[in-house]
Amino acid sequence: MNDGNGGGNGGGHDARALVFRPLRLGALTLRNRLIRSATYEGLGDRQGMPRVEELTRLYCDLASGGIGAIVTGFTAVSQDGRAMHSGQCGFDSEAKADAWRRVREAVRACDPDVPMIAQLAHTGRQTLETATGKPVVGASSRACTYFRQPVHALDEVGIERIIEAFAAAALRARDAGFDGVQIHAAHGYLIHQFLSPWTNRREDRWGEKDRFCLEVVERVRERCGPGFSVWIKLSGEEDRTPGVRIADTVRTAQRLESAGVDLLEVSYGTMETALNIIRGACPVNVILKVNPLFSHISPHWRPLWKAVVGPKHLYRLKRFTPNYNLAAATAVKEAVSVPVAVVGGIRSLDDAIQCLQGSGGPGLDAVGLCRPLIREPDLPARWRNGAASKSTCTNCNLCTVYCDGAVPTECRTPHRAADKGRSS
Ligand SMILES: Cc1cc2nc3c(=O)[nH]c(=O)nc-3n(C[C@H](O)[C@H](O)[C@H](O)COP(=O)(O)O)c2cc1C
């Protein structure tokens, strides 16, 4: 299968050139194959209003750091779809879209060649009623063991309202000058809840697992027109059984291709075992300190909690390995013609090259980076300028854990003296 982007074997070409070739995605052209994967910024106020100056600074740093495209952190399409994270931005009102327009214009002034894609999400059961002020809703009433909230299964009216909320948010993003949207169908959020047999236990027409996802994409596509890029992020697999398996994701991807998505990004997992989405260290003491779901546990009980919960959940996590979602993304790429990206564990130029060249299958079209860019927004430029250096991200995961507190996302591990001066 060929999308005209030559996603396959790099053959005798300079391997670096594979990474720094442009990528055509429908009406959009990316200057290289490196995408800033969606990363919660913690730069919204309590109502989800974007903090324009800070967001502009963050994205301008990424743009001047050489990235090919920027996907924003997840933005809520409706109030009941807000996350537990108090700094999450929204795209659920004209006022918020207006703030995003100012961000978009400022980033374009920094660098006109970096497309910006708004990630649109509804959390479904993965939130707290205290965070949204609304009943928690889901594909069915099965509660999430992490958030432990009663979940109200959506009825037809609720489902239609949320499909419409995705389409309205996408239109706002388009009118605010964004180049596209990425529909968040991964990580156990509402669309993933419909995709998964673990959470979709419906017996009505929405029991067809990818129906909701497809209807969201079709409505967004229809509302925003053909010139607007529509991306989607999927979890290739998840931890639960019965849950999403790669054969299901491949089938969903094929149907999404027919529905007109421009890029599929493959990730992993759900928030029920959130650390398996990202892998690496499990900073349990910090989790107990800052995560509102656990911070109520008194210091007295913490050793017992760690002894009981630790072995069951925390210490049996999947190990971090470079390119840990590459096999899943390759399986998707083999089955579709639409461009496919992977995210998860890309840390060096060689990792990126391996994804694009292919390993046991066709090469992918793009790679997503998250934690490395929180630490070193100029990593793409360094790679482009000849440095073969590996990201100094240690996967300590403090960036992630602190997302659960009310602070902006940042790297909290000091740079070693030897690394100083590598980053601007
Ligand atoms: C601090 C932090 C915030 C994240 N926020 C989002 C988000 O808003 N939306 C999303 O789809 N994924 C989010 N992710 C997941 C990343 O996009 C990515 O899938 C994951 O971190 C693996 O990539 P990496 O190894 O390059 O970090 C986040 C991850 C981290 C560490």
Side-chain angles (χ1 to χ4, degrees):
M1 306 222 181
N2 193 348
D3 51 39
N5 278 310
N9 198 328
H13 294 103
D14 173 15
R16 189 188 307 272
L18 273 181
V19 179
F20 293 96
R21 282 172 308 159
L23 172 64
R24 211 173 54 241
L25 296 174
L28 207 60
T29 301
L30 275 52
R31 62 188 173 190
N32 62 47
R33 305 300 175 112
L34 302 173
I35 293 170
R36 187 274 198 147
S37 199
T39 306
Y40 165 78
E41 304 90 355
L43 292 175
D45 74 9
R46 296 242 160 213
Q47 278 68 50
M49 183 65 80
R51 281 156 51 182
V52 174
E53 267 178 41
E54 285 111 312
L55 284 164
T56 301
R57 205 171 311 127
L58 172 73
Y59 295 141
C60 285
D61 279 355
L62 285 164
S64 58
I67 200 70
I70 295 171
V71 184
T72 67
F74 66 159
T75 66
V77 296
S78 63
Q79 178 61 26
D80 64 342
R82 272 183 70 74
M84 170 178 88
H85 309 66
S86 59
Q88 187 198 23
C89 297
F91 241 118
D92 54 335
S93 73
E94 295 309 320
K96 289 172 195 167
D98 214 53
W100 278 117
R101 178 176 302 110
R102 285 186 280 140
V103 174
R104 182 66 192 104
E105 282 167 5
V107 177
R108 190 169 280 118
C110 291
D111 187 334
D113 296 329
V114 184
M116 284 189 71
I117 308 294
Q119 191 186 51
L120 304 181
H122 190 292
T123 49
R125 67 178 196 150
Q126 291 189 163
T127 190
L128 300 175
E129 196 170 326
T130 50
T132 64
K134 308 265 181 194
V136 173
V137 297
S140 57
S141 61
R142 188 168 219 172
C144 176
T145 52
Y146 182 62
F147 291 94
R148 300 194 299 273
Q149 303 286 295
V151 182
H152 303 265
L154 284 160
D155 60 13
E156 285 282 342
V157 173
I159 289 173
E160 168 57 26
R161 176 180 58 77
I162 294 173
I163 295 173
E164 195 46 37
F166 271 99
L171 190 62
R172 284 186 202 107
R174 192 199 71 179
D175 293 347
F178 280 75
D179 305 276
V181 289
Q182 182 181 62
I183 313 267
H184 198 346
H187 302 169
Y189 292 110
L190 183 64
I191 299 180
H192 183 150
Q193 287 157 42
F194 275 91
L195 290 170
S196 172
W198 182 259
T199 36
N200 184 345
R201 302 159 113 198
R202 304 180 71 100
E203 290 180 351
D204 61 4
R205 66 196 184 107
W206 301 101
E208 186 191 334
K209 304 290 177 284
D210 45 18
R211 177 183 280 265
F212 179 72
C213 180
L214 287 161
E215 295 222 0
V216 169
V217 168
E218 282 164 6
R219 189 81 59 93
V220 166
R221 174 51 77 225
E222 186 187 289
R223 189 70 48 87
C224 296
F228 189 63
S229 217
V230 179
W231 300 8
I232 193 152
K233 188 167 185 176
L234 294 165
S235 288
E237 301 199 275
E238 67 179 278
D239 298 295
R240 289 290 194 183
T241 301
V244 170
R245 294 292 172 266
I246 192 62
D248 304 313
T249 303
V250 164
R251 255 193 319 274
T252 302
Q254 288 169 326
R255 298 186 74 185
L256 285 165
E257 175 171 25
S258 307
V261 295
D262 296 296
L263 180 84
L264 292 152
E265 184 184 19
V266 179
S267 183
Y268 180 88
T270 76
M271 286 294 288
E272 239 170 2
T273 318
L275 283 169
N276 278 348
I277 300 173
I278 56 172
R279 316 207 183 164
C282 173
V284 63
N285 290 326
V286 186
I287 295 174
L288 285 170
K289 194 171 86 181
V290 302
N291 187 319
L293 296 170
F294 304 111
S295 52
H296 63 278
I297 302 171
S298 85
H300 181 72
W301 288 110
R302 286 181 188 180
L304 184 66
W305 188 90
K306 284 196 268 183
V308 174
V309 179
K312 201 160 163 252
H313 295 294
L314 297 179
Y315 313 138
R316 281 200 297 173
L317 295 166
K318 289 185 179 292
R319 263 168 39 82
F320 177 93
T321 52
N323 293 351
Y324 57 80
N325 291 321
L326 178 53
T330 301
V332 172
K333 175 71 187 167
E334 273 167 347
V336 297
S337 305
V338 66
V340 175
V342 65
V343 63
I346 292 113
R347 294 292 177 272
S348 67
L349 183 62
D350 282 346
D351 292 342
I353 290 168
Q354 190 194 19
C355 294
L356 299 172
Q357 263 179 344
S359 155
L364 304 180
D365 302 278
V367 298
L369 299 160
C370 169
R371 284 166 290 176
L373 296 176
I374 297 175
R375 184 169 176 80
E376 301 164 289
D378 65 342
L379 194 61
R382 287 213 317 272
W383 287 350
R384 188 190 58 219
N385 296 338
S389 56
K390 207 173 157 226
S391 160
T392 60
C393 170
T394 61
N395 311 312
C396 68
N397 290 333
L398 292 177
C399 57
T400 319
V401 171
Y402 275 95
C403 285
D404 298 323
V407 290
T409 302
E410 61 179 4
C411 180
R412 290 165 184 276
T413 296
H415 286 265
R416 296 178 314 155
D419 299 327
K420 288 233 170 84
R422 289 179 9 135
S423 300
S424 52

